[in-house]
Amino acid sequence: MNGRCAFLAACAIALFFTGAHAPAEAQSSATAPQAPASAPAGWQTVAGTLEDLRAAHGVTALIVGIGIGDAPPLVAAAGQSITGVPARTDMHFRIGAMAIASQTTILMQLVDEGVVALDDTIDEWLPTYPAADRITLRMLGDSTSGYADYESDPGFVEAFENDVFYDWPREELLKVAFARGMLFEPGTDFQYAHTNFIVLAEALAGATGTPYPTLLKQRIIDRLGLKETEIWTTAALPDPPLHGFTKERGIFEDATYWSPSWTSFTGPLNADITDTVRLMRAIGTGETISEASLETMLTPATLGMNINTPEHAFSLGLELLPPWIQKTFFFGGYGGTAGYMRDEDLTIVVMTTLGRDSPPGENPSTPIFHQLAEMLGR
């Protein structure tokens, strides 16, 4: 399964364009319309070379959004959603781990409100869970709890690939994870695991007496005015959908409507590119939390644990790659990278769908993200 793992110019309008209408294999160029005067230097380069970028990376579709401050983002698309249907900037897709950063933002909101503390152990709400009296909310947010990941369990992988439409109950996912035992003593090491964020969501629901989907809708979607973002309850995507493709089962196939239930509370959001830019900036600026809480999120307690370094660290649901605050999401044929640069108040989001020759275990959006940043002089 995939995922196994200086300008503050104000843009008065959003710029929309799509690539040519031919199938992705035959597309050769896309023409960008005149950008507004307030657009950043480099935008015409980005827009004018988007089809070339798509072809060079072999992806089926490429959608990008660039936000300058809180102005409407510049958005563009190239390639196709499905055969004969061009990719468009109003298409919806799954934004995966953006929901994890949303979840840890909710955690910090509750810390600000005095409802919970980061050092609270989860036995208050989930007393039967392994090591519940030693695992804190912060450990869950940092992936230092010691819980194993169900997603990499061989039995789970086999079951998933045999029935990609199965509706996975949350309890079944946790049963798989807990059966693998603890990886290490809580708080002593780092290992990313989806399990942490299912448990964290349950703890937040317990602390507030509010179902987690309601917390997510009220505290993130509604508060930020994300009109094109929804919490999925089925495999359906809102119209118009961006189709995703993968070869993880050995053939190139449409994975759009594979059940996303295995992501549970770690990835329950669908959105379009504009809302994804808006969400990434809100997370990066700490729009809904205190400055102190934002600094806590940006000060990794994971340094020195496993792969975490000052150059690339995981901290309370965020990936810190200075100067970028970043999230990557990659599953079901979709690959996305979203980043926010505080000094420039700049947001970049890249969404791709895999192509026929895309390695199923590599997220093609990340190198494209860095190429776009370089085009913009960042």
Side-chain angles (χ1 to χ4, degrees):
M1 184 182 311
N2 291 337
R4 322 233 243 247
C5 254
F7 52 88
L8 298 175
C11 296
I13 64 172
L15 177 64
F16 297 86
F17 81 99
T18 60
H21 288 205
E25 291 85 348
Q27 284 183 315
S28 60
S29 65
T31 301
Q34 182 65 41
S38 55
W43 171 249
Q44 286 287 19
T45 300
V46 169
T49 61
L50 202 65
E51 169 56 24
D52 291 338
L53 278 174
R54 185 206 64 77
H57 289 271
V59 296
T60 300
L62 171 59
I63 304 178
V64 303
I66 296 174
I68 304 129
D70 60 0
L74 300 159
V75 295
Q80 61 180 359
S81 175
I82 55 174
T83 303
V85 178
R88 293 169 21 192
T89 57
D90 62 345
M91 286 180 165
H92 299 84
F93 43 83
R94 308 195 194 286
I95 61 172
M98 292 295 295
I100 290 176
S102 300
Q103 184 182 116
T104 52
T105 296
I106 293 171
L107 168 61
M108 300 313 298
Q109 291 173 1
L110 296 175
V111 169
D112 286 340
E113 295 164 17
V115 176
V116 299
L118 288 178
D119 290 334
D120 287 344
T121 54
I122 63 172
D123 54 328
E124 181 175 352
W125 312 288
L126 304 167
T128 64
Y129 282 13
D133 61 339
R134 291 174 289 144
I135 292 174
T136 67
L137 298 175
R138 171 138 203 176
M139 291 177 194
L140 293 171
D142 277 343
S143 257
T144 59
S145 69
Y147 283 148
D149 201 347
Y150 59 86
E151 187 254 5
S152 58
D153 178 76
F156 171 78
V157 174
E158 181 180 6
F160 174 84
E161 293 184 347
N162 286 337
D163 185 358
V164 295
F165 303 108
Y166 180 65
D167 188 10
W168 287 89
R170 187 168 71 252
E171 297 77 13
E172 194 168 343
L173 298 172
L174 291 178
K175 182 178 179 180
V176 172
F178 294 161
R180 303 186 77 184
M182 298 292 291
L183 298 178
F184 46 79
E185 183 67 18
T188 64
D189 205 349
F190 168 87
Q191 181 60 57
Y192 179 84
H194 296 77
T195 311
N196 289 295
F197 300 100
I198 296 180
V199 176
L200 180 56
E202 292 182 334
L204 298 181
T208 59
T210 304
Y212 181 70
T214 302
L215 289 176
L216 183 57
K217 184 175 188 304
Q218 292 177 344
R219 289 177 170 270
I220 299 295
I221 297 173
D222 292 348
R223 189 174 296 187
L224 296 177
L226 302 177
K227 304 300 185 184
E228 297 298 325
T229 301
E230 69 168 20
I231 302 169
W232 51 254
T233 55
T234 71
L237 280 169
D239 289 330
L242 179 69
H243 283 246
F245 302 90
T246 185
K247 291 193 302 184
E248 62 188 84
R249 297 199 299 174
I251 60 171
F252 187 65
E253 57 185 326
D254 189 331
T256 309
Y257 299 113
W258 289 7
S259 173
S261 58
W262 68 269
T263 68
S264 185
F265 292 143
T266 74
L269 295 177
N270 302 322
D272 68 358
I273 194 72
T274 297
D275 268 13
T276 308
V277 172
R278 171 82 174 99
L279 177 58
M280 186 66 238
R281 181 177 185 271
I283 291 167
T285 61
E287 181 174 332
T288 66
I289 60 177
S290 68
E291 183 64 29
S293 283
L294 177 60
E295 287 306 310
T296 297
M297 294 184 77
L298 299 182
T299 305
T302 57
L303 292 182
M305 295 182 180
N306 203 326
I307 60 173
N308 290 280
T309 68
E311 293 74 33
H312 189 171
F314 189 88
S315 178
L316 287 170
L318 301 178
E319 299 162 49
L320 305 180
L321 294 85
W324 294 99
I325 302 165
Q326 199 171 91
K327 286 304 299 179
T328 53
F329 39 103
F330 186 45
F331 69 98
Y334 299 97
T337 300
Y340 177 72
M341 185 187 291
R342 295 180 77 190
D343 289 347
E344 306 284 358
D345 201 2
L346 170 67
T347 310
I348 299 176
V349 177
V350 177
M351 186 67 201
T352 60
T353 59
L354 302 190
R356 294 184 183 279
D357 297 321
S358 297
E362 296 180 15
N363 186 342
S365 70
T366 302
I368 296 174
F369 175 95
H370 292 296
Q371 284 182 268
L372 294 180
E374 185 175 347
M375 290 180 190
L376 293 169
R378 301 300 174 266

